Amino acid sequence: MTTSDTTAERLPIELRTEALESILVERGIVDPSLMDKFIKMYEQDVGPMNGAKVVAHAWADPDYKARLLEDGTGSIAELGFKGPQGEHIVVLENTPSVHNVVVCTLCSCYPWPVLGLPPGWYKDPAYRSRMVRDPRALLAEMGLELGDDIELRVWDSSSEVRYMVLPERPAGTEGMSEEDLASLVTRDAMVGVAKVAAP
């Protein structure tokens, strides 16, 4: 057992994070007001709610949807969502016959401006390896059963290209406002590990 293993077992990650932050602040390496600004930004301004607005707008506007599938980064920026980790976003459309799902096998590359920070399971080595080796079974364990007649495509995000899924619009949503449509869209549906449920 290494020293780091012993420390990891003794102290929860929250305490280790706080200790690291304290040291960086004490040494003048990190400005605490800047850290507070980043935390506030990711709590209030950046996250899956942005991606949900993109999806709802694409569902409501066929011209925007076409531009989104052609140029993800540029079309997402049209709605004001851009920034770090959002420079090269490719949007993949799910259809009744094709289902896309995203993984990052090397680490946790993720389109921050539209999905926020990645969830813990996205960074888990088990998800990263099994989504490549046995995606249909893993999706079923996560609650998404796909028929054998549906083509399943797994996309590996990287620092060069980050993927976002445009989920299928559920039945029964005709006539809904974009705001109401956006409220249906989940982070998991935009990663491809779930579908958007009908209202």
Side-chain angles (χ1 to χ4, degrees):
M1 179 180 292
T2 65
T3 303
S4 59
D5 290 335
T6 304
T7 303
E9 290 174 2
R10 267 199 337 250
L11 297 175
I13 190 168
E14 294 83 2
L15 289 180
R16 284 181 281 148
T17 303
E18 287 180 18
L20 177 60
E21 180 182 346
S22 296
I23 292 170
L24 293 174
V25 170
E26 285 174 10
R27 295 186 179 182
I29 298 172
V30 168
D31 179 351
S33 65
L34 186 61
M35 290 191 67
D36 290 343
K37 182 180 175 183
F38 272 111
I39 291 170
K40 183 178 178 184
M41 178 176 72
Y42 279 99
E43 285 179 345
Q44 300 178 1
D45 303 326
V46 178
M49 65 281 201
N50 292 347
K53 291 175 183 173
V54 171
V55 170
H57 193 53
W59 284 346
D61 183 341
D63 290 337
Y64 178 77
K65 176 182 171 182
R67 292 200 306 279
L68 181 67
L69 296 175
E70 178 70 24
D71 174 14
T73 304
S75 301
I76 289 169
E78 281 182 36
L79 301 187
F81 308 130
K82 53 189 174 181
Q85 314 303 321
E87 297 88 352
H88 308 289
I89 300 176
V90 171
V91 179
L92 311 161
E93 182 183 19
N94 280 351
T95 69
S97 60
V98 175
H99 186 88
N100 297 284
V101 64
V102 180
V103 65
C104 177
T105 56
L106 289 177
C107 48
S108 57
C109 295
Y110 201 68
W112 291 0
V114 282
L115 295 186
L117 299 176
W121 56 260
Y122 186 81
K123 297 179 277 187
D124 191 299
Y127 175 82
R128 289 156 45 195
S129 61
R130 289 195 62 209
M131 188 50 74
V132 175
R133 289 186 287 111
D134 195 8
R136 205 171 290 269
L138 179 56
L139 286 174
E141 290 175 22
M142 297 178 80
L144 178 60
E145 297 273 359
L146 294 175
D148 292 337
D149 58 327
I150 297 177
E151 180 185 350
L152 178 56
R153 298 175 182 171
V154 178
W155 299 82
D156 194 0
S157 277
S158 70
S159 59
E160 301 298 323
V161 178
R162 289 172 169 78
Y163 297 102
M164 170 186 160
V165 172
L166 175 62
E168 288 179 77
R169 181 172 178 166
T173 58
E174 300 79 9
M176 289 179 65
S177 68
E178 285 191 29
E179 183 178 1
D180 289 340
L181 287 170
S183 70
L184 302 176
V185 182
T186 65
R187 172 201 64 198
D188 290 2
M190 292 183 282
V191 177
V193 299
K195 290 192 173 189
V196 176

